[in-house]
Amino acid sequence: MEYGILEACVDSVESAVAAAEGGANRLEVCANLVIGGTTPGVSQFKQIRKACDIRMNVLIRPRFGDFLYTDHEFQMIAEDAKMFRELGADGIVVGCLMPDGNLDIERMKVLREIAGDGHMTLHRAFDVCRDPFQALEEAISLGVDTILTSGQKDYCLDGKELLGQLLRQAAGRIDILVGSGVNAETIACLMKEIPAKSFHMSGKKVLDSGMIYRKEDVNMGIPGLGEYDIFRTDAEQIRQARRQMEKKYRLR
């Protein structure tokens, strides 16, 4: 039986602990999942590292938005990648694009060197690149270990045709990690239709804040998101996803 990866993306210590309890065998540690994830804080990483004895990759993304970075932003990416590797991260999750939509090869080379013998994932910058087939070959040539992708769609099931093509092209040379909308049901569906064996999910649920006093007419962040909604990983959702995967793959 082949091995599979169930990676949970987490932006809190509580979510990381729940993901580990549910059976995830790798974490992507980040902050601000509600806007797609940004670089986590150092103390957050240290607490998760202390609380969870599983592999941990760290998302290095200085801001929300596109993946065309200024020199200052790239310096932040490079320094943060180096710092988290020195702090004990098993790998980094990164991605840089050129204005024309192609991978920024030179910057990706720098990040590959910083990752050293650790894991390197090309994140969903891949999903907004110009040519996914070219980018896949470039990622392989750079020594990238994993591509996180939804098949260039908002939802992985909508991208399953491209995901299947990428898996065939990759032919085991690089891992294709399926993300965006992943849960037990989508895993079951995709495993029937394409040879996907690596999945990335948040398994999130919304908790109500413990605040009793509430100022309902003041919004501190993104309009439409409740100030008193707290997003956390649900261990049971992770557990159900793992059960589906174990019908076909071993998770170590």
Side-chain angles (χ1 to χ4, degrees):
M1 185 180 285
E2 292 183 272
Y3 285 103
I5 296 290
L6 179 58
E7 179 178 272
C9 49
V10 298
D11 61 0
S12 68
V13 181
E14 292 81 3
S15 286
V17 170
E21 288 177 352
N25 58 355
R26 191 169 72 199
L27 300 178
E28 181 198 282
V29 178
C30 65
N32 302 309
L33 263 176
V34 73
I35 55 170
T38 56
T39 306
V42 172
S43 59
Q44 174 192 346
F45 172 82
K46 287 181 175 178
Q47 288 191 51
I48 294 174
R49 179 79 286 174
K50 188 180 299 184
C52 301
D53 187 25
I54 60 176
R55 289 171 291 172
M56 288 173 50
N57 294 338
V58 176
L59 175 66
I60 311 295
R61 185 183 180 212
R63 59 165 171 79
F64 168 80
D66 66 28
F67 306 101
L68 176 63
Y69 295 112
T70 67
D71 289 341
H72 292 301
E73 288 172 334
F74 182 69
Q75 186 64 30
M76 292 166 61
I77 292 170
E79 290 183 9
D80 284 345
K82 183 175 185 293
M83 174 186 64
F84 281 111
R85 283 288 288 139
E86 291 172 348
L87 287 171
D90 296 291
I92 58 173
V93 182
V94 292
C96 303
L97 297 180
M98 299 289 287
D100 63 2
N102 291 316
L103 278 185
D104 189 329
I105 300 297
E106 294 308 311
R107 285 180 167 178
M108 292 294 288
K109 283 180 181 177
V110 171
L111 296 173
R112 177 66 265 183
E113 291 175 6
I114 290 171
D117 59 0
H119 194 275
M120 182 174 177
T121 297
L122 167 58
H123 59 42
R124 292 187 66 210
F126 179 86
D127 279 332
V128 292
C129 74
R130 177 184 295 275
D131 185 338
F133 305 109
Q134 175 183 318
L136 185 149
E137 294 299 331
E138 290 172 343
I140 291 171
S141 69
L142 287 164
V144 173
D145 300 286
T146 296
I147 295 173
L148 170 61
T149 176
S150 60
Q152 296 203 324
K153 299 290 184 182
D154 284 343
Y155 182 41
C156 61
L157 285 182
D158 293 333
K160 66 184 176 183
E161 181 177 352
L162 178 57
L163 287 169
Q165 294 172 335
L166 294 169
L167 283 158
R168 288 190 292 274
Q169 181 180 341
R173 295 177 297 158
I174 192 169
D175 191 34
I176 302 298
L177 177 64
V178 178
S180 191
V182 170
N183 55 36
E185 290 74 23
T186 55
I187 288 172
C189 178
L190 287 170
M191 287 197 310
K192 289 178 183 176
E193 300 190 36
I194 59 175
K197 60 180 181 179
S198 298
F199 294 92
H200 169 98
M201 65 182 291
S202 66
K204 64 179 177 290
K205 61 180 178 180
V206 182
L207 304 178
D208 189 37
S209 166
M211 287 294 296
I212 298 171
Y213 174 76
R214 302 187 180 197
K215 185 70 75 173
E216 299 288 357
D217 56 346
V218 177
N219 188 288
M220 298 289 182
I222 300 173
L225 287 179
E227 294 295 325
Y228 302 101
D229 291 339
I230 299 172
F231 295 86
R232 290 281 188 263
T233 295
D234 180 10
E236 183 56 30
Q237 291 189 46
I238 302 295
R239 193 171 292 115
Q240 291 175 10
R242 182 180 177 110
R243 289 190 191 119
Q244 282 293 341
M245 291 189 67
E246 286 179 332
K247 294 177 181 180
K248 190 170 182 179
Y249 301 112
R250 293 177 63 189
L251 275 70
R252 52 181 173 179

